[in-house]
Amino acid sequence: MSYTFTKETDMKAFEEFVLSHGGIYMQSEKWAKVKLEWNSRFYSGFSGDGERVLTALIMERSIPAAGKIWYCPAGAVFDHENKELFSAFSEFMKKELKANKITALFYDPLIPLRVNGEDVSQGKAAHRLFTENGFTLNTDASKTLYKSPVQLITKLVSPDGEKYTSDKLLKTFEKGVRYSVRVGEGRGLTEKIYTIRDIEKDPVIMEDFLAVMKDTSERSDFVERGGDYCKRIMEVFGEDGLDMMLIYYDKNKDKEIQAEKLRRKEELLKSLETAPEKKIRGIKEEIDSIDKATAHFEERMKETENSDKDIICVSGGMTLHYNKMSSCLFGGSRNLLRNNLRASHFFNFRRICHSIEKGSDYHDLGYVLLEKTPPEADGTLGVCKAAPDFEGILSFKKSFGSEYIEFIGEYVLVSNKALYFSYTHLLEKARNVQSIVNRIVRKHR
């Protein structure tokens, strides 16, 4: 079958194809409106009878001394098992790269190579297809253009196709998560969900969120996004497509709960005077539990004694809902009360609950940064391991019943070998310099 490809101008048809063929937000027209630092173009592919069979968002950026590069986020939207279509698309892209004087095209499709450590045949077949058509695998997943090939995704649908309820899903999570969720409300935690309209009315909401991300970025050594970028992405995807959840510690609510616990302790102490022998042990265990809770309460009071607020934002993040997938874009927690409240566990569970309410089938907890990844003997991407600083984050995300998915990685179609050589060597130095600058900025701000 013959295929033709052209620059797309019908954005409605482009977006409808992405949605109807399982595309994600990074493949949509809307993502181009978010990434204003890139110049974007859109392509569609058609079969001989005029049926649209492929769409591709291509983003362009200039790199000093390395020319212009193209990036196709998450790959083109089509069936990658259609070898004839991919070969035709590859030949078209080679011509476009030459015509537009582009150094290289970066392509990182969401095709699984391993799930929870088990090989997926689809990924190995895709690797062979890509290399046969002139693409080269970036074998070091610690140094990718845009995103890590690892994602942690929690299924919101059971193996028999039934939608999970929040309670049923919670039972599948690790013990520590279940404990944190249970005690969270008992320590004065509550959540609120905001849209762009709420933030426009009350700028303090964004200030609270940025304070969360500032503390988190300093702990995890990344550069947080500014408020303008966050507002832009919320505006582009709209009230239904993207929301912000913040977790608050209500000090007065905590005091009320504690007062009730102390009243309960008085009742238990009094009941000990006449309780039968078989009930004494249980009563004493409940008293002991209240005493431990009281100690934690007193720690919270001490840690917040200098705060001028009774309601304090302690955790939060932004979640994008697109095409049955809810994706965690940003998230974290304040340093204040972090260990006492375990608010990150409470927040991420409530975030997953909201994804269920939005009708999503999957909840993407995001990625982790990786160590250097030597390739496998067959040339595919090697086993991806979290960088030392991200091992704790990986364990945290796995505790929510997520699957550890290693996608096939980043493939590059090189058009100008000399400039690409310059790019690969400059990129490493630029990243090292940027890392140093980031640390200096954090130290002095």
Side-chain angles (χ1 to χ4, degrees), residues 210-407:
L210 293 177
V212 166
M213 295 311 301
K214 179 177 182 293
D215 281 4
T216 305
S217 71
E218 290 175 349
R219 288 196 310 268
S220 302
D221 194 25
F222 67 85
V223 179
E224 71 272 23
R225 290 288 189 174
D228 289 343
Y229 180 87
C230 295
K231 286 180 182 177
R232 184 198 312 159
I233 194 170
M234 294 186 80
E235 288 169 350
V236 168
F237 283 91
E239 293 183 83
D240 291 333
L242 199 148
D243 47 54
M244 177 186 292
M245 177 183 287
L246 296 182
I247 303 298
Y248 296 94
Y249 168 62
D250 188 331
K251 198 169 183 177
N252 290 328
K253 181 180 178 182
D254 195 12
K255 290 177 180 178
E256 291 173 3
I257 294 171
Q258 176 61 18
E260 183 59 37
K261 288 177 181 176
L262 293 179
R263 283 193 291 270
R264 174 60 179 165
K265 180 180 176 179
E266 289 179 5
E267 293 175 358
L268 292 168
L269 289 171
K270 188 175 181 180
S271 69
L272 276 176
E273 299 173 3
T274 57
E277 187 68 28
K278 63 181 180 180
K279 289 190 176 182
I280 290 177
R281 180 179 176 182
I283 294 172
K284 287 184 176 180
E285 286 178 348
E286 188 174 351
I287 291 173
D288 182 59
S289 177
I290 292 173
D291 287 341
K292 289 179 180 178
T294 299
H296 288 301
F297 169 79
E298 291 172 350
E299 289 172 2
R300 293 193 292 277
M301 293 300 104
K302 183 175 179 58
E303 195 171 346
T304 58
E305 62 185 358
N306 295 323
S307 175
D308 59 353
K309 297 180 179 179
D310 290 329
I311 299 178
I312 305 168
C313 180
V314 293
S315 186
M318 294 170 58
T319 309
L320 196 157
H321 312 283
Y322 185 90
N323 214 12
K324 296 295 183 179
M325 171 80 83
S326 290
S327 302
C328 302
L329 298 190
F330 311 109
S333 60
R334 294 292 307 274
N335 294 330
L336 183 68
L337 296 169
R338 180 166 172 254
N339 295 325
N340 192 299
L341 288 175
R342 295 167 64 93
S344 290
H345 288 87
F346 181 85
F347 160 60
N348 277 280
F349 173 67
R350 295 306 307 161
R351 198 181 203 183
I352 290 172
C353 291
H354 184 53
S355 296
I356 293 173
E357 293 165 3
K358 294 290 288 187
S360 295
D361 292 340
Y362 303 94
H363 181 89
D364 174 17
L365 288 101
Y367 64 90
V368 293
L369 295 183
L370 304 172
E371 289 186 316
K372 186 175 178 65
T373 51
E376 298 285 87
D378 61 2
T380 57
L381 190 67
V383 174
C384 297
K385 296 181 180 180
D389 290 347
F390 279 78
E391 288 176 353
I393 296 174
L394 173 60
S395 296
F396 174 81
K397 292 182 177 182
K398 282 186 173 181
S399 68
F400 291 89
S402 61
E403 291 191 328
Y404 185 78
I405 302 177
E406 298 168 69
F407 293 104

